[in-house]
Amino acid sequence: MAVTPQTNTTLEAMAERMKECDEFVLCGHVNPDGDCLGSQLALMHALRSLGKKAQCILVEPDSIDQGLGFLPGVSDMVPAESFDGPCRAFVACDVPIPSRMGKAAVIQDRANVRFTVDHHAADASMSDFNYVDEDAPACGLIVWELIKALGVKPDSSMATCCYTALMTDTGRFQYQNATPEAFRAANEMVEAGAEPAAISSEVYQNRSLASLMLEKAMLEHIVIAEDGLWAFSHVRQSDFERLGAVKADAEPLVDVLRSLAGVRVACMVREQASGVRGSLRAKGDEVDVSVLARHIGGGGHRAAAGFTFEGPVEDLLVDLPGHLDELVEKAGLR
């Protein structure tokens, strides 16, 4: 376990302070993934089971991927811009800095007490109670332990949310962060009511035809270099418009690149109405893709990271190959 410098509490102390609060607002990061949504929803259910008022909010409206719409409680989430209720306690899940919470940061500011539960390292803390374990396979696993520290017996809703968080952030338990701890926790979640086959079907077997056609467009743009050590591709806004695709349809694409034999680093870029969104994945332990993500203004983990680029996609397409070359060279792969 690598508890980061900004950690200033234990899960047990955090749980005791939470028990003293009655009204909670929970939020994750922009473009919420399975870990982000699963973590906050699981904790919401746990707090409600203690008789607390708890509301999950979204940084942006209409930002939930189709494959995550089954999560218990997800239909009750509201956009930050529409939330006008009280905020006595604010819990940030899977997000280390205010800038990743958009308009929700204003709600965090007005809270009487603030909590952060995360596994992303950051330069500074943003809450009164910060617990950040950089080695945790998923934020959902930390939340799982926090639920138990609250004295709550996890039910099937909490288990489903935490299992989804853990499954998605470990890449179906195939990334380097699929540790023994991850499998032990997954076993507990299944015993508490999570159904692996049903969850996997919802998340990974729900691709739209537009997503498959978007994959075809991506493959037409693919670049492979450094003797096959890295793969890079992109899709443009015009591809989305032509195919009637939405941003969720692009989520599986980076893993398609990562699956290529010999590839150690995969980078997938999608042009959107405002700026460019990039996803980075590493295969193996040699490369830390979060280094490149932070250089471009993003962040993440060693094996999975992302970034947002504000300029035109043409500029990024010119610069990224050089950055990927440098990343591979620093890792000693050539």
Side-chain angles (χ1 to χ4, degrees):
M1 180 177 70
V3 175
T4 60
Q6 69 265 36
T7 294
N8 64 2
T9 187
T10 64
L11 290 179
E12 290 73 23
M14 181 178 284
E16 288 305 311
R17 184 65 181 91
M18 285 183 168
K19 289 178 185 178
E20 298 171 357
C21 304
D22 293 321
E23 295 175 332
F24 292 82
V25 175
L26 303 94
C27 188
H29 54 72
V30 66
N31 297 314
D33 55 12
D35 190 23
C36 178
L37 291 172
S39 295
Q40 58 182 302
L41 286 168
L43 186 54
M44 178 197 74
H45 289 299
L47 292 169
R48 287 181 176 178
S49 76
L50 293 173
K52 314 290 187 182
K53 292 181 180 179
Q55 176 66 55
C56 287
I57 62 175
L58 292 164
V59 175
E60 300 172 316
D62 302 320
S63 58
I64 298 174
D65 289 350
Q66 176 181 320
L68 298 171
F70 74 98
L71 288 170
V74 76
S75 60
D76 294 331
M77 299 179 76
V78 299
E81 63 185 22
S82 303
F83 179 78
D84 59 0
C87 181
R88 309 298 184 202
F90 187 97
V91 187
C93 293
D94 199 41
V95 56
I97 53 178
S99 62
R100 294 278 289 158
M101 291 192 295
K103 294 180 180 179
V106 177
I107 301 172
Q108 182 193 41
D109 286 342
R110 72 172 193 252
N112 295 337
V113 60
R114 293 167 291 274
F115 302 89
T116 292
V117 184
D118 196 13
H119 65 147
H120 298 93
D123 294 333
S125 60
M126 65 174 180
S127 296
D128 305 297
F129 291 82
N130 289 275
Y131 187 88
V132 182
D133 180 1
E134 191 176 5
D135 280 352
C139 183
L141 190 148
I142 303 173
V143 167
W144 184 251
E145 296 302 320
L146 177 57
I147 289 171
K148 291 187 285 185
L150 285 165
V152 174
K153 181 179 180 181
D155 62 15
S156 60
S157 292
M158 301 172 211
T160 295
C161 291
C162 284
Y163 184 91
T164 302
L166 186 57
M167 178 189 72
T168 53
D169 245 32
T170 58
R172 306 182 227 190
F173 300 96
Q174 62 182 347
Y175 293 163
Q176 295 94 314
N177 60 345
T179 61
E181 180 187 18
F183 283 102
R184 284 192 291 268
N187 181 64
E188 292 179 4
M189 294 167 193
V190 172
E191 289 183 337
E195 299 181 10
I199 295 171
S200 179
S201 177
E202 291 282 357
V203 177
Y204 297 114
Q205 298 171 31
N206 254 332
R207 289 187 69 180
S208 66
L209 179 59
S211 179
L212 293 177
M213 298 303 292
L214 203 61
E215 181 177 325
K216 178 183 176 183
M218 178 204 71
L219 293 175
E220 292 173 350
H221 300 146
I222 193 169
V223 175
I224 301 175
E226 291 294 321
D227 296 323
L229 290 174
W230 61 255
F232 167 58
S233 191
H234 70 280
V235 288
R236 293 183 176 271
Q237 183 69 20
S238 58
D239 293 320
F240 283 85
E241 294 168 356
R242 173 173 56 87
L243 298 170
V246 296
K247 67 179 181 180
D249 292 323
E251 289 301 317
L253 302 187
V254 67
D255 284 322
V256 174
L257 295 178
R258 184 182 181 273
S259 70
L260 288 168
V263 165
R264 313 308 289 174
V265 180
C267 180
M268 172 62 206
V269 171
R270 59 176 170 85
E271 185 182 33
Q272 48 192 21
S274 56
V276 182
R277 180 69 185 170
S279 298
L280 289 156
R281 297 290 184 272
K283 185 160 57 179
D285 295 322
E286 304 96 337
V287 182
D288 182 353
V289 293
S290 70
V291 173
L292 176 53
R294 287 194 295 272
H295 177 72
I296 309 176
H301 304 288
R302 185 177 186 86
F307 60 87
T308 299
F309 181 74
E310 300 300 335
V313 68
E314 286 77 14
D315 289 353
L316 193 60
L317 297 181
V318 170
D319 292 340
L320 261 179
H323 291 311
L324 291 168
D325 282 345
E326 183 179 354
L327 197 64
V328 166
E329 185 173 6
K330 285 185 175 180
L333 293 177
R334 68 174 187 187

